[in-house]
Amino acid sequence: MNYQKIYHWLHSLKYLNITKSFNFIKLLISYILSIFKINNTKKRNLPFFVSIEPVDFCNLRCPECYTGKNFSSLKKHFLDFFQFKKIIDELESTLLHAMLYFQGEPLLHPSLPEMIRYAHEAKIYTSLSTNAQLINEKMAEKLVLSGLDKLIISLDGTTQEVYEIYRKGGNVSKVIKAVKTLTQKKRELKSLTPMIEIQFLVLRSNEFQMKDMKKLAKELKVDKLVFKTAQLHNFENGHPLMPHQSKYSRYKKNKNGKFQLKYAQPNRCWRLWSGAVVNVDGDVLPCCFDKSGKYSFGNVFQESFYQCWHSKKAFNFRENILKNRKQYEICLNCTSR
């Protein structure tokens, strides 16, 4: 029995209360009714999770990442701490989970530990996803003391030669050392959080190292290892990074010899009811697939999150998804249902 996993499951329950539970139930009912074409897109609910972007740039240049592909042209923006607090203050009564990442590398924000702490003290479950290149002893201590609940670390190879094929500009030794430093700090500070999850993005270039990754994760004593499928652009004619193992590919070949998403995309999407993204510029986006902010519902720097979430743009977007999801380009490479 994995007592660590049981602890983290029980630990997450402490963030629940009557208001948050009631809001979640209303969201779920609203979503179910929408599936049956009952017009329920204008109910005044709020999402139970929000992804908030601290920075919009990165220290790596991953080829299939929007930020990595536009590495040289992106301007470097930092989310203002005051604006972050404003978002948390408005949503704390209904928000269950705050994810402090979107496209940039969040550890590049100098106030990130303070942001985590602020959300934690508002009794919101917090998670962070990072390439771990910037985690040293000092940063590891700050993250543990911040109250962070879950830390996702990208590690897509067990050797530098394989790792850098995708994580361009990264050093695999730094990632491994970061994990060791974090686990050591947790022991020193007698903390069971953050839960450390390694995510291994399965690609053709690294799939032969999956067994080695299992062994390494066990040696590092991480809480969880996830083999994640990759979203690939221009996949219709195949892609050099598409893995051979169909289990770990989002795509399959159709009868015409072209590749398509493995699973059907029904005209619905739970993400549009349950969560949202706030990018570094304050735009409220429908989901994490809107990389360029094309379908903004409004801006929290100019109005409240509530106003953005219930704007005419938001209502129209949800209603259009229920009619024809494929009309939106951001949905064409999405696996959410």
Side-chain angles (χ1 to χ4, degrees):
M1 183 178 292
N2 191 325
Y3 293 102
Q4 192 80 334
K5 288 183 179 179
I6 293 174
Y7 166 79
H8 285 294
W9 183 79
L10 294 173
H11 168 79
S12 64
L13 293 179
K14 76 177 186 178
Y15 295 102
L16 276 173
N17 58 34
I18 293 175
T19 303
K20 292 182 181 182
S21 300
F22 186 55
N23 180 69
F24 178 83
I25 292 170
K26 287 196 299 179
L27 283 170
L28 187 58
I29 292 173
S30 175
Y31 176 65
I32 293 171
L33 290 174
S34 74
I35 294 174
F36 292 100
K37 310 303 180 184
I38 298 174
N39 189 358
N40 213 42
T41 59
K42 297 185 178 182
K43 294 295 182 182
R44 301 294 177 171
N45 305 317
L46 283 169
F48 76 85
F49 77 87
V50 170
S51 177
I52 304 173
E53 183 178 44
V55 300
D56 62 353
F57 60 99
C58 188
N59 49 346
L60 301 187
R61 299 180 298 282
C62 305
E64 290 299 301
C65 172
Y66 177 85
T67 305
K69 291 174 72 174
N70 297 279
F71 183 85
S72 59
S73 61
L74 288 175
K75 296 179 180 179
K76 297 181 179 180
H77 296 138
F78 297 85
L79 180 65
D80 183 76
F81 193 20
F82 172 80
Q83 295 292 353
F84 174 80
K85 291 195 290 184
K86 178 186 171 186
I87 298 167
I88 295 298
D89 289 346
E90 181 181 353
L91 298 177
E92 66 174 314
S93 63
T94 54
L95 198 62
L96 279 169
H97 185 184
M99 298 177 286
L100 277 74
Y101 59 94
F102 176 33
Q103 296 192 95
E105 167 51 52
L107 290 178
L108 289 167
H109 198 297
S111 299
L112 182 68
E114 289 75 20
M115 289 178 168
I116 298 169
R117 168 62 63 184
Y118 192 82
H120 175 73
E121 290 180 348
K123 294 181 171 52
I124 299 169
Y125 184 95
T126 55
S127 65
L128 181 69
S129 181
T130 176
N131 58 43
Q133 297 294 307
L134 301 174
I135 297 180
N136 52 26
E137 190 169 342
K138 185 177 180 181
M139 178 56 72
E141 182 171 328
K142 286 183 177 181
L143 290 175
V144 174
L145 292 175
S146 70
L148 180 66
D149 295 291
K150 181 179 179 180
L151 180 61
I152 301 168
I153 294 178
S154 299
L155 182 54
D156 312 316
T158 59
T159 62
Q160 180 62 24
E161 181 183 17
V162 172
Y163 174 79
E164 68 183 357
I165 291 174
Y166 190 76
R167 302 290 168 180
K168 296 187 181 299
N171 187 307
V172 71
S173 297
K174 285 185 177 181
V175 184
I176 294 171
K177 185 177 180 181
V179 176
K180 291 179 178 178
T181 303
L182 282 161
T183 53
Q184 177 62 30
K185 282 297 173 186
K186 285 172 64 176
R187 286 194 295 270
E188 289 177 6
L189 297 169
K190 298 180 180 179
S191 175
L192 289 173
T193 56
M195 180 186 85
I196 299 175
E197 175 184 310
I198 286 181
Q199 281 191 359
F200 184 102
L201 194 64
V202 182
L203 306 164
R204 187 173 301 178
S205 58
N206 66 11
E207 59 185 330
F208 71 95
Q209 288 192 338
M210 291 174 70
K211 286 185 179 179
D212 294 334
M213 189 68 250
K214 290 179 182 179
K215 182 180 178 181
L216 178 59
K218 190 173 182 180
E219 291 173 356
L220 293 174
K221 298 179 180 178
V222 297
D223 300 295
K224 190 175 183 180
L225 169 63
V226 173
F227 291 112
K228 187 179 180 182
T229 61
Q231 179 194 10
L232 302 172
H233 300 283
N234 303 316
F235 60 83
E236 292 82 2
N237 295 311
H239 195 287
L241 288 175
M242 192 179 294
H244 292 293
Q245 300 180 66
S246 60
K247 179 181 177 181
Y248 296 104
S249 175
R250 298 188 184 191
Y251 313 99
K252 66 177 181 180
K253 189 177 287 188
N254 60 30
K255 61 182 180 181
N256 298 318
K258 298 287 187 179
F259 284 90
Q260 63 181 50
L261 286 174
K262 191 183 293 184
Y263 303 108
Q265 293 177 301
N267 292 327
R268 60 178 185 265
C269 184
W270 169 233
R271 283 193 185 187
L272 293 180
W273 271 254
S274 59
V277 171
V278 180
N279 70 14
V280 72
D281 296 319
D283 290 319
V284 177
L285 310 178
C287 70
C288 61
F289 281 85
D290 189 7
K291 311 294 185 185
S292 61
K294 183 177 180 179
Y295 301 101
S296 174
F297 294 160
N299 191 285
V300 291
F301 297 169
Q302 301 167 7
E303 52 192 342
S304 69
F305 181 93
Y306 186 92
Q307 290 172 310
C308 298
W309 183 247
H310 295 291
S311 67
K312 185 176 181 180
K313 288 182 179 179
F315 292 147
N316 289 341
F317 192 91
R318 294 187 190 103
E319 289 179 347
N320 287 336
I321 286 290
L322 296 172
K323 295 173 184 176
N324 179 16
R325 180 174 172 176
K326 292 183 179 179
Q327 67 183 288
Y328 293 110
E329 59 181 328
I330 63 172
C331 298
L332 297 180
N333 200 1
C334 174
T335 54
S336 295
R337 298 184 178 189

PDB file of all heavy atoms in Angstrom, residues 33 35 54 64 81 107 136 193 208 272 275 288:
ATOM      1  N   LEU A  33     -26.474  19.165 -18.016  1.00  0.00           N
ATOM      2  CA  LEU A  33     -27.661  19.686 -18.697  1.00  0.00           C
ATOM      3  C   LEU A  33     -27.320  20.194 -20.095  1.00  0.00           C
ATOM      4  O   LEU A  33     -28.100  20.032 -21.037  1.00  0.00           O
ATOM      5  CB  LEU A  33     -28.285  20.814 -17.872  1.00  0.00           C
ATOM      6  CG  LEU A  33     -28.972  20.399 -16.564  1.00  0.00           C
ATOM      7  CD1 LEU A  33     -29.417  21.623 -15.790  1.00  0.00           C
ATOM      8  CD2 LEU A  33     -30.166  19.480 -16.846  1.00  0.00           C
ATOM      9  N   ILE A  35     -25.087  19.033 -22.089  1.00  0.00           N
ATOM     10  CA  ILE A  35     -24.902  17.891 -22.984  1.00  0.00           C
ATOM     11  C   ILE A  35     -26.227  17.468 -23.611  1.00  0.00           C
ATOM     12  O   ILE A  35     -26.284  17.064 -24.773  1.00  0.00           O
ATOM     13  CB  ILE A  35     -24.269  16.711 -22.216  1.00  0.00           C
ATOM     14  CG1 ILE A  35     -22.831  17.069 -21.782  1.00  0.00           C
ATOM     15  CG2 ILE A  35     -24.262  15.442 -23.066  1.00  0.00           C
ATOM     16  CD1 ILE A  35     -22.184  16.024 -20.910  1.00  0.00           C
ATOM     17  N   PRO A  54       2.523  33.079 -14.349  1.00  0.00           N
ATOM     18  CA  PRO A  54       3.416  34.073 -13.734  1.00  0.00           C
ATOM     19  C   PRO A  54       4.293  34.805 -14.755  1.00  0.00           C
ATOM     20  O   PRO A  54       4.514  36.005 -14.641  1.00  0.00           O
ATOM     21  CB  PRO A  54       4.281  33.231 -12.784  1.00  0.00           C
ATOM     22  CG  PRO A  54       3.513  31.970 -12.570  1.00  0.00           C
ATOM     23  CD  PRO A  54       2.818  31.716 -13.873  1.00  0.00           C
ATOM     24  N   GLU A  64       8.037  21.760 -29.823  1.00  0.00           N
ATOM     25  CA  GLU A  64       6.590  21.708 -30.004  1.00  0.00           C
ATOM     26  C   GLU A  64       5.837  22.642 -29.043  1.00  0.00           C
ATOM     27  O   GLU A  64       4.611  22.637 -29.012  1.00  0.00           O
ATOM     28  CB  GLU A  64       6.080  20.278 -29.839  1.00  0.00           C
ATOM     29  CG  GLU A  64       6.497  19.354 -30.968  1.00  0.00           C
ATOM     30  CD  GLU A  64       5.976  19.802 -32.326  1.00  0.00           C
ATOM     31  OE1 GLU A  64       4.748  19.918 -32.493  1.00  0.00           O
ATOM     32  OE2 GLU A  64       6.812  20.055 -33.229  1.00  0.00           O
ATOM     33  N   PHE A  81       2.352  41.094  -8.822  1.00  0.00           N
ATOM     34  CA  PHE A  81       1.927  40.403  -7.612  1.00  0.00           C
ATOM     35  C   PHE A  81       0.585  40.945  -7.115  1.00  0.00           C
ATOM     36  O   PHE A  81      -0.267  40.188  -6.630  1.00  0.00           O
ATOM     37  CB  PHE A  81       3.002  40.545  -6.534  1.00  0.00           C
ATOM     38  CG  PHE A  81       2.822  39.629  -5.362  1.00  0.00           C
ATOM     39  CD1 PHE A  81       2.037  38.484  -5.439  1.00  0.00           C
ATOM     40  CD2 PHE A  81       3.446  39.900  -4.155  1.00  0.00           C
ATOM     41  CE1 PHE A  81       1.870  37.636  -4.362  1.00  0.00           C
ATOM     42  CE2 PHE A  81       3.298  39.064  -3.062  1.00  0.00           C
ATOM     43  CZ  PHE A  81       2.501  37.932  -3.173  1.00  0.00           C
ATOM     44  N   LEU A 107       9.348  29.486 -12.541  1.00  0.00           N
ATOM     45  CA  LEU A 107      10.420  29.798 -11.590  1.00  0.00           C
ATOM     46  C   LEU A 107      11.236  31.024 -11.990  1.00  0.00           C
ATOM     47  O   LEU A 107      12.056  31.510 -11.208  1.00  0.00           O
ATOM     48  CB  LEU A 107      11.346  28.591 -11.423  1.00  0.00           C
ATOM     49  CG  LEU A 107      10.752  27.393 -10.687  1.00  0.00           C
ATOM     50  CD1 LEU A 107      11.751  26.252 -10.619  1.00  0.00           C
ATOM     51  CD2 LEU A 107      10.297  27.773  -9.287  1.00  0.00           C
ATOM     52  N   ASN A 136      17.693  25.219  -7.033  1.00  0.00           N
ATOM     53  CA  ASN A 136      18.883  24.950  -6.229  1.00  0.00           C
ATOM     54  C   ASN A 136      18.440  24.756  -4.789  1.00  0.00           C
ATOM     55  O   ASN A 136      17.243  24.673  -4.491  1.00  0.00           O
ATOM     56  CB  ASN A 136      19.897  26.093  -6.359  1.00  0.00           C
ATOM     57  CG  ASN A 136      19.253  27.459  -6.084  1.00  0.00           C
ATOM     58  OD1 ASN A 136      18.256  27.544  -5.357  1.00  0.00           O
ATOM     59  ND2 ASN A 136      19.806  28.507  -6.669  1.00  0.00           N
ATOM     60  N   THR A 193       4.883  17.648   1.804  1.00  0.00           N
ATOM     61  CA  THR A 193       4.581  18.376   0.570  1.00  0.00           C
ATOM     62  C   THR A 193       5.779  19.244   0.188  1.00  0.00           C
ATOM     63  O   THR A 193       6.569  19.628   1.040  1.00  0.00           O
ATOM     64  CB  THR A 193       3.333  19.268   0.752  1.00  0.00           C
ATOM     65  OG1 THR A 193       3.537  20.144   1.863  1.00  0.00           O
ATOM     66  CG2 THR A 193       2.096  18.425   0.982  1.00  0.00           C
ATOM     67  N   PHE A 208      12.413   4.490 -25.833  1.00  0.00           N
ATOM     68  CA  PHE A 208      13.221   3.333 -25.458  1.00  0.00           C
ATOM     69  C   PHE A 208      13.812   3.470 -24.048  1.00  0.00           C
ATOM     70  O   PHE A 208      14.345   2.499 -23.503  1.00  0.00           O
ATOM     71  CB  PHE A 208      14.347   3.117 -26.481  1.00  0.00           C
ATOM     72  CG  PHE A 208      15.437   4.151 -26.439  1.00  0.00           C
ATOM     73  CD1 PHE A 208      16.595   3.936 -25.699  1.00  0.00           C
ATOM     74  CD2 PHE A 208      15.305   5.349 -27.129  1.00  0.00           C
ATOM     75  CE1 PHE A 208      17.611   4.888 -25.658  1.00  0.00           C
ATOM     76  CE2 PHE A 208      16.315   6.307 -27.088  1.00  0.00           C
ATOM     77  CZ  PHE A 208      17.469   6.075 -26.354  1.00  0.00           C
ATOM     78  N   LEU A 272     -14.489  23.882 -20.234  1.00  0.00           N
ATOM     79  CA  LEU A 272     -15.097  25.210 -20.380  1.00  0.00           C
ATOM     80  C   LEU A 272     -16.033  25.538 -19.236  1.00  0.00           C
ATOM     81  O   LEU A 272     -16.381  26.701 -19.022  1.00  0.00           O
ATOM     82  CB  LEU A 272     -15.847  25.302 -21.704  1.00  0.00           C
ATOM     83  CG  LEU A 272     -14.984  25.266 -22.969  1.00  0.00           C
ATOM     84  CD1 LEU A 272     -15.858  25.377 -24.196  1.00  0.00           C
ATOM     85  CD2 LEU A 272     -13.956  26.386 -22.944  1.00  0.00           C
ATOM     86  N   GLY A 275     -12.944  25.056 -15.600  1.00  0.00           N
ATOM     87  CA  GLY A 275     -11.698  25.792 -15.383  1.00  0.00           C
ATOM     88  C   GLY A 275     -11.465  26.896 -16.393  1.00  0.00           C
ATOM     89  O   GLY A 275     -12.236  27.093 -17.329  1.00  0.00           O
ATOM     90  N   CYS A 288      -6.099  25.851 -21.843  1.00  0.00           N
ATOM     91  CA  CYS A 288      -4.659  25.913 -22.095  1.00  0.00           C
ATOM     92  C   CYS A 288      -4.294  25.708 -23.567  1.00  0.00           C
ATOM     93  O   CYS A 288      -3.127  25.865 -23.946  1.00  0.00           O
ATOM     94  CB  CYS A 288      -3.927  24.886 -21.233  1.00  0.00           C
ATOM     95  SG  CYS A 288      -4.411  23.179 -21.543  1.00  0.00           S
TER      96      CYS A 288
END
